[in-house]
Amino acid sequence: KPIAFLMMGLGATVTVCHHMTRQVAVHSRAADAVFVAVGKPGLVTGNMLKPGAALIDIGINRVEGRTVGDADYASCAEVAGWITPVPGGVGPMTIACLLANTLTACCRANGLPEPEGLTA
């Protein structure tokens, strides 16, 4: 939901699918950008994407001792114009923003100047 509201605020037309959505592939094949954060490894496959679409995989799953996302990376990478890897994609950015926001909050709470160039 936060991504949907952010994208709508930027003027995007947003379709949100959930566990009760029928024919998710019909919706995802029409999308220029697909954000997936479900918690089911391999849920999104290459045949569910519009060629050239951006795929942002936010999911983190452990499968046979490996960390994987919600998308089947191999099949999606053949179709997507841009794809985030798991691990190493969205996770490090999430941590960086969390640390930047924590530092900003600490400075504000203690009346200290906020560091320059720190944007989250």
Side-chain angles (χ1 to χ4, degrees), residues 48-108:
M48 297 173 72
L49 297 176
K50 175 182 179 179
L55 174 62
I56 314 304
D57 191 348
I58 305 165
I60 298 176
N61 306 284
R62 295 293 292 171
V63 175
E64 298 175 5
R66 295 178 27 242
T67 301
V68 298
D70 289 345
D72 174 42
Y73 189 89
S75 67
C76 290
E78 293 178 9
V79 180
W82 195 81
I83 184 171
T84 58
V86 175
V90 174
M93 293 309 303
T94 302
I95 293 168
C97 290
L98 176 62
L99 290 173
N101 289 338
T102 301
L103 181 58
T104 298
C106 181
C107 289
R108 289 179 184 176

Side-chain angles (χ1 to χ4, degrees), residues 25-53:
V26 171
H27 299 289
S28 62
R29 276 195 290 268
D32 293 321
V34 174
F35 296 79
V36 59
V38 178
K40 291 188 178 181
L43 178 69
V44 176
T45 58
N47 66 353
M48 297 173 72
L49 297 176
K50 175 182 179 179

